Amino acid sequence: MIAVQFDTPVDAPPQVIGFELGHISLVWDGGAHRSRQLGSRGLSMVYLVAADMLNGVVTLLAHPDASYMLTSTASGWGFAVRRTRRHGLRLSTPAGRPLCRVSEANYAAAVWRGTDALLAAGTPIDGGPLADLQSAIAAFPDVFQR
């Protein structure tokens, strides 16, 4: 099982505009990969990263040979997702250090739940980040929205 967590800043502004910086975590049984480990260099525009992750899942599901590299906006933190022949998805650091293996369904559900929790904490007002999120949500398969 894997979880995706978006941590928005403690001092969140009264109006969320979508470019807020925060941290992202991938947590699984036996480990974690967190942008917080890089301190301020790991801060990312969390709403844009959420849209990027949703789009990455759609790409993976649509193309059997697809993979993607998430490089957080304004951050040195990221990870790669590659499909394996027998073990679902393999997540690794950008340098190739293995992080974990997870099924496509578990990864997709984790990205959806993480994004849902982020939006419950504060939805951006009209603008580019909100439009990106809305497009990514609309393209996301209904079967993983649980």
Side-chain angles (χ1 to χ4, degrees):
M1 191 57 116
I2 189 167
V4 174
Q5 300 166 342
F6 297 97
D7 303 320
T8 53
V10 176
D11 300 329
Q15 268 193 330
V16 176
I17 60 170
F19 295 106
E20 286 76 15
L21 296 175
H23 288 284
I24 301 114
S25 298
L26 300 175
V27 181
W28 60 91
D29 296 337
H33 182 55
R34 304 175 193 274
S35 65
R36 191 173 298 282
Q37 293 168 322
L38 296 176
S40 62
R41 290 184 313 115
L43 286 168
S44 300
M45 295 180 201
V46 291
Y47 293 96
L48 296 176
V49 170
D52 220 9
M53 289 179 78
L54 290 168
N55 288 329
V57 168
V58 171
T59 299
L60 284 170
L61 296 174
H63 305 286
D65 59 342
S67 62
Y68 78 91
M69 176 82 67
L70 181 104
T71 52
S72 303
T73 311
S75 175
W77 183 85
F79 63 94
V81 180
R82 289 181 182 81
R83 185 174 281 113
T84 64
R85 292 181 192 254
R86 296 183 182 172
H87 302 288
L89 301 175
R90 178 180 157 229
L91 280 65
S92 61
T93 65
R97 183 177 59 85
L99 296 171
C100 68
R101 294 182 187 270
V102 63
S103 73
E104 290 180 19
N106 283 341
Y107 180 72
V111 170
W112 179 261
R113 284 191 301 271
T115 302
D116 190 46
L118 174 65
L119 291 173
T123 303
I125 59 174
D126 290 339
L130 180 59
D132 288 351
L133 262 174
Q134 288 171 331
S135 295
I137 289 168
F140 199 81
D142 290 340
V143 70
F144 297 112
Q145 297 181 18
R146 43 187 155 105

